[in-house]
Amino acid sequence: MTEKSTLKKSATLAAAGLVVAGALLVVAGALLAGCGESKAAPMDDAYAGNSGETEKSQEEQSQSQSNGSDSSDGSDSSSSHNDPSTTTSDKKDTGNYKDGNYSINGQYGPVGEDSIDVHLTIKDGNVETVNIIGHPFTTISKNHQDDFAKAINGVVDGKPLKGLKVDKVAGASWTSDAFNKALEVARQEASIQE
């Protein structure tokens, strides 16, 4: 074989390798896309959120602090669930809610890298106000979270907490999903247990 044909064969093999590597990346991306289920958990203080810690360390901290007591405003903002992979507490949604402030952290993204802190004020069974604090992983996530935070009050303020669910708000579908999971937790945390 000549040197020219050896180089041509090497170039062909290198190009084929790049095509295979690209195909593997597409498959890996598709598999990861299925891993992006949103979840939410009650927060223990107003400054909680994604501080760059791993999701596992946040869950361990949540579990270790799950023996908290009621806060001074009458709302229970501590986590009482034992399985951090779930989005709900052990409390039942009774449909009858006590007034108060509730803070929930919702995580989402292909591997849970983005999160939002949802601060709700409930009065007479209705959402009085919502404040969203975003913890984005990318600039794109930041833009979606900012747009969502600006629009959400116009969508939910004054609405009954019972059964409340939002569709895609301000083009932010994953943020909206995380918000809906946070609403599920808020209903359980605010429920008056009979």
Side-chain angles (χ1 to χ4, degrees), residues 13-182:
L13 289 173
L18 288 174
V19 169
V20 169
L24 289 173
L25 286 174
V26 168
V27 169
L31 291 173
L32 281 176
C35 298
E37 187 173 331
S38 301
K39 61 183 176 178
M43 294 173 24
D44 289 332
D45 70 39
Y47 301 103
N50 187 351
S51 63
E53 298 177 279
T54 65
E55 183 178 329
K56 184 176 180 184
S57 68
Q58 289 178 356
E59 290 169 352
E60 288 169 353
Q61 180 181 5
S62 177
Q63 281 183 341
S64 69
Q65 295 175 350
S66 67
N67 296 329
S69 59
D70 286 352
S71 60
S72 61
D73 65 0
S75 67
D76 181 3
S77 62
S78 64
S79 171
S80 61
H81 59 84
N82 294 323
D83 182 359
S85 65
T86 63
T87 59
T88 58
S89 71
D90 290 335
K91 296 177 182 175
K92 181 181 173 195
D93 178 359
T94 63
N96 188 12
Y97 309 111
K98 60 185 170 186
D99 293 351
N101 298 310
Y102 301 89
S103 296
I104 301 102
N105 176 261
Q107 292 184 323
Y108 62 97
V111 291
E113 69 274 12
D114 292 308
S115 70
I116 56 172
D117 296 343
V118 178
H119 303 281
L120 292 166
T121 300
I122 307 302
K123 184 167 184 177
D124 299 326
N126 296 323
V127 175
E128 188 170 83
T129 60
V130 174
N131 184 27
I132 303 292
I133 299 171
H135 303 284
F137 186 69
T138 66
T139 303
I140 293 170
S141 295
K142 180 181 181 350
N143 293 337
H144 283 299
Q145 288 179 354
D146 289 348
D147 292 344
F148 181 89
K150 289 176 190 170
I152 193 63
N153 286 95
V155 176
V156 300
D157 285 5
K159 300 278 174 50
L161 180 61
K162 184 175 184 174
L164 183 61
K165 183 176 182 181
V166 300
D167 291 325
K168 183 165 49 171
V169 174
S173 57
W174 282 2
T175 309
S176 298
D177 289 345
F179 181 78
N180 285 331
K181 294 290 185 180

